[in-house]
C-alpha cells in the first residue's frame, strides 16, 4: 500500500496511543511523517525508528501546539525541510477531568488551549502551504464526548465539540482549493486510559457498545488513512465516529 507516496504528513501528539498508530499507518502508506510531541521525545523517536524499520521515513519535531509562535516556526521548518506539507492530523490533546463545581480555572484553560487552540494554531500554519499547493487533508481527532458530552468532562467535551465546529467551518473555507477538512470521533479505545479501568468498569462500558469490544488505535488509524487518501476526495466537513456503535 503506497497511495500516499511522497506526501508529507504531520501527526501532532504522535508519540503514543492513537497518534502513534496513525503515524505508522500513514508511513506504511508511503507518506513521510513528522511526529510531534511536547515532552515525550523518546517515545516519539521510537515511533520514527519503527517507521524506518518498516521502510518508511519520519522525523520528530518537539514543540507545544498551544504556543502559536512555536507552532508557526515548527511548520515553517517542516516545509523548509520537505518542500511541502500535505496532511495534518490534529491529534494532540489532554484531559483534566473534574466536576464543574470543583474544576480549577487552569484545568479549563490547559484543556481548551491544547485541544482547541492547538488545532487552530496547527491548521492555520498548515493551511497556508496547502492553499499554495491547491491540495491538502486536515483531519481532527475529536471524541464522542464532543458529540454527546460526558459528566466530569465539561472542559474536554467543550474542546472536542469546538473542534467539530471548527472542522465544519474550515471545510467550507478550503474546499475550493481541493483541501478537505474532516474529523474522526473515537469511542472507547484500548489506550493507557482504558487499560487502567477495573474489570467491573470495563464490563459496564462494554454493555453499551453494540460491537461488544473496545476499539483499537489501529481502528481509528484506518479511518484516518482513508480520509487522507484520494478515495475520500469528495468528503469534507464530516465527523465519523469510530465507536463500535456506541453512538447509536
Amino acid at each position: 500500500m503506497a497511495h500516499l507516496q511522497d506526501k508529507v504528513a504531520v501527526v501532532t501528539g504522535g508519540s503514543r496511543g492513537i497518534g502513534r498508530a496513525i503515524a505508522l499507518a500513514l508511513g506504511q502508506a508511503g507518506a513521510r511523517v513528522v511526529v510531534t510531541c511536547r515532552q515525550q521525545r523518546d517515545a516519539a523517536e521510537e515511533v520514527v525508528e519503527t517507521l524506518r524499520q518498516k521502510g518508511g521515513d519520519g522525523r520528530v519535531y518537539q514543540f507545544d501546539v498551544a504556543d502559536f509562535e512555536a507552532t508557526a516556526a515548527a511548520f515553517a521548518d517542516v516545509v523548509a525541510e520537505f518542500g511541502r506539507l500535505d496532511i495534518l492530523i490534529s491529534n494532540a490533546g489532554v484531559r483534566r477531568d473534574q466536576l464543574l463545581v470543583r474544576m480549577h480555572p487552569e484545568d479549563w484553560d490547559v484543556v481548551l488551549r491544547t485541544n482547541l487552540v492547538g488545532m487552530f494554531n496547527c491548521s492555520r500554519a498548515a493551511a497556508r502551504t496547502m492553499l499554495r499547493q491547491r491540495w491538502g487533508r486536515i483531519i481532527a481527532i475529536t471524541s464522542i464526548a464532543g458529540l454527546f458530552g460526558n459528566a466530569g468532562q465539561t472542559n474536554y467535551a467543550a474542546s472536542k465539540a469546538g473542534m467539530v465546529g471548527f472542522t465544519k467551518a474550515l471545510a467550507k473555507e478550503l474546499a475550493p482549493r481541493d483541501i478537505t477538512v474532516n474529523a474522526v470521533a473515537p469511542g472507547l479505545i484500548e489506550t493507557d486510559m482504558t487499560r487502567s479501568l477495573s474489570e467491573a468498569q470495563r464490563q459496564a462500558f462494554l454493555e453499551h457498545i453494540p460491537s461488544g469490544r473496545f476499539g483499537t488505535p489501529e481502528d481509528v488509524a484506518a479511518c484516518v488513512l482513508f480520509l487522507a487518501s484520494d478515495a475520500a476526495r469528495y468528503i469534507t466537513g464530516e465527523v465519523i465516529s469510530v465507536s463500535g456503535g456506541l453512538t447509536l
Side-chain angles (χ1 to χ4, degrees):
M1 187 196 321
H3 57 277
L4 296 180
Q5 196 67 40
D6 298 325
K7 300 294 188 187
V8 176
V10 173
V11 181
T12 69
S15 62
R16 62 192 177 114
I18 291 172
R20 181 182 189 277
I22 291 170
L24 294 177
L26 293 173
Q28 288 179 275
R32 292 175 289 173
V33 184
V34 173
V35 176
T36 88
C37 63
R38 184 172 63 90
Q39 292 180 320
Q40 296 182 316
R41 188 174 185 98
D42 288 347
E45 293 284 5
E46 182 275 328
V47 176
V48 168
E49 180 57 30
T50 300
L51 263 178
R52 291 172 178 160
Q53 290 173 1
K54 295 176 180 291
D57 183 25
R59 302 285 191 281
V60 173
Y61 276 55
Q62 187 171 4
F63 63 96
D64 184 356
V65 297
D67 184 326
F68 178 83
E69 297 296 341
T71 301
F75 275 75
D77 288 345
V78 169
V79 176
E81 179 174 0
F82 293 97
R84 60 187 300 112
L85 172 58
D86 304 286
I87 301 162
L88 166 64
I89 312 300
S90 194
N91 170 72
V94 298
R95 287 174 41 210
R96 296 288 187 274
D97 295 353
Q98 186 56 271
L99 295 174
L100 178 66
V101 294
R102 298 176 183 169
M103 186 176 293
H104 295 291
E106 56 268 29
D107 291 333
W108 174 269
D109 290 342
V110 71
V111 171
L112 268 291
R113 284 196 58 76
T114 302
N115 300 1
L116 185 55
V117 176
M119 184 180 180
F120 162 77
N121 290 341
C122 293
S123 298
R124 185 178 186 275
R128 290 172 174 266
T129 297
M130 292 176 180
L131 284 166
R132 289 195 296 271
Q133 294 172 178
R134 302 186 71 88
W135 196 95
R137 300 285 186 267
I138 295 175
I139 302 166
I141 307 302
T142 179
S143 168
I144 60 169
L147 305 178
F148 298 98
N150 199 21
Q153 290 189 325
T154 52
N155 50 2
Y156 184 75
S159 70
K160 293 299 186 176
M163 291 172 73
V164 170
F166 184 102
T167 293
K168 292 180 177 293
L170 186 60
K172 290 184 177 181
E173 292 185 18
L174 300 182
R177 292 294 184 95
D178 204 14
I179 301 167
T180 66
V181 188
N182 292 289
V184 174
L188 288 163
I189 306 298
E190 290 281 11
T191 61
D192 292 342
M193 180 195 74
T194 53
R195 280 189 286 270
S196 69
L197 296 172
S198 69
E199 187 58 31
Q201 289 173 317
R202 290 177 66 89
Q203 288 304 316
F205 280 126
L206 285 171
E207 289 177 7
H208 298 285
I209 304 175
S211 69
R213 69 172 178 89
F214 287 9
T216 67
E218 289 72 25
D219 290 327
V220 181
C223 183
V224 170
L225 186 59
F226 166 67
L227 290 173
S229 74
D230 272 332
R233 63 187 177 274
Y234 201 57
I235 300 172
T236 195
E238 297 296 336
V239 181
I240 301 177
S241 294
V242 181
S243 67
L246 181 59
T247 58
L248 295 174

